[in-house]
Amino acid sequence: IAQLREANPDVLLVSTGNLASSSPEGDYIKAAKAIGMPALLYVLSWDHLETKVSIQVTPDLLLVWNGAQAEEAEKYHRIPRSMIRIVGSTFFDQWFDAHAPTPREEFCARYGLDPKKPILTYISSAGTYGDEIEYLKKVYKAVGGLDIQLVVRPYPSEKRRGVHKRRNAFYKSAESSRVTFIPRKGSRPSSEEAAQLFYDTIYHSFAYLGICSSGMIDSMLIGRPGITLLDDYYNSIQSY
């Protein structure tokens, strides 16, 4: 409360980055309500309302991407429809701005790639449905006989430590010796430098590949076609 009173904003805006009981976001909404400050909650990612958060403190307004999220907010979080506003996804707005790609020769030289050969980028998922190792083995096999350079973009979070420990061991194994990891350790395209690297990686790829990740939406907006290998194991998430 003291922080909000000192900052004295007209409105408090928080996101559904992490609304676990240990997260401060819910406390800020409570504090704003206690002093009569309007509190808005913005849904950060496409699957947060169904798989990742529990809205324990109802904001004055919930800002969602689309009608599907509005329905999820009503169904799973009991937010009245009158308190929901559809505003689109500002999370992806940066890709509508003009980006100048790093020259292909320079980009490839930096990561040991051949600028004359096609690049396919695999975008890792969060690990909610496993470590993806068997799936990646299928990808390796599918492109193994082709003159294609495979780039893997590791997922930026390591909250599921066991999953990411197994992934990292696989990334360092002999099976992954012909794969290029960009960046070596996952990062979100949330800074100017990180966004440029993501843009360059996808821009210089002829396509991107993945199971199901918001990074695939980023890549689509950059203008490259997407590929996925349908797998019964991931049916529940791929058919979402």
Side-chain angles (χ1 to χ4, degrees):
I1 290 177
Q3 287 181 345
L4 291 178
R5 280 180 171 157
E6 182 179 356
N8 195 32
D10 294 318
V11 177
L12 173 71
L13 174 64
V14 299
S15 74
T16 57
N18 177 14
L19 288 181
S21 58
S22 60
S23 170
E25 290 141 307
D27 290 334
Y28 275 101
I29 295 176
K30 287 181 185 178
K33 284 178 167 289
I35 60 176
M37 181 182 294
L40 278 64
L41 179 60
Y42 173 69
V43 178
L44 184 65
S45 189
W46 64 275
D47 61 344
H48 274 188
L49 291 176
E50 186 170 16
T51 67
K52 291 191 173 128
V53 301
S54 175
I55 300 176
Q56 301 174 23
V57 184
T58 303
D60 293 293
L61 284 179
L62 179 69
L63 309 181
V64 301
W65 291 20
N66 49 37
Q69 284 192 343
E71 291 177 7
E72 290 171 355
E74 289 186 273
K75 179 179 179 181
Y76 299 118
H77 304 275
R78 300 177 186 244
I79 305 292
R81 188 64 181 82
S82 62
M83 300 173 68
I84 300 172
R85 297 291 185 275
I86 297 173
V87 298
S89 172
T90 60
F91 189 68
F92 299 107
D93 280 355
Q94 65 175 322
W95 306 123
F96 292 96
D97 297 331
H99 283 263
T102 300
R104 186 177 180 87
E105 291 73 15
E106 180 182 336
F107 173 79
C108 289
R110 188 181 304 163
Y111 295 102
L113 297 167
D114 185 342
K116 296 181 180 179
K117 293 183 178 181
I119 299 169
L120 174 64
T121 294
Y122 177 84
I123 301 174
S124 296
S125 300
T128 305
Y129 292 83
D131 55 29
E132 298 185 9
I133 291 175
E134 293 304 315
Y135 191 89
L136 266 174
K137 288 180 179 179
K138 293 179 181 179
V139 172
Y140 289 2
K141 183 177 180 181
V143 303
L146 305 174
D147 195 20
I148 290 175
Q149 299 171 108
L150 182 63
V151 166
V152 169
R153 181 176 172 86
Y155 192 77
S157 172
E158 295 193 0
K159 289 180 180 179
R160 296 175 177 83
R161 295 179 183 242
V163 167
H164 291 282
K165 186 176 181 179
R166 292 191 296 274
R167 278 188 190 174
N168 289 332
F170 180 68
Y171 293 163
K172 296 174 183 177
S173 71
E175 285 184 270
S176 299
S177 60
R178 300 183 65 183
V179 177
T180 302
F181 295 88
I182 304 177
R184 186 72 208 187
K185 185 176 181 180
S187 68
R188 299 183 187 279
S190 52
S191 69
E192 187 174 341
E193 181 180 2
Q196 185 65 47
L197 178 57
F198 188 98
Y199 182 85
D200 286 340
T201 305
I202 301 304
Y203 180 87
H204 292 300
S205 300
F206 71 88
Y208 61 90
L209 172 67
I211 295 174
C212 189
S213 167
S214 58
M216 297 173 74
I217 303 176
D218 292 295
S219 303
M220 175 188 68
L221 294 173
I222 291 172
R224 292 293 177 263
I227 303 170
T228 190
L229 296 178
L230 295 178
D231 191 304
D232 289 341
Y233 181 80
Y234 298 105
N235 180 64
S236 60
I237 189 70
Q238 288 184 325
S239 61
Y240 176 77

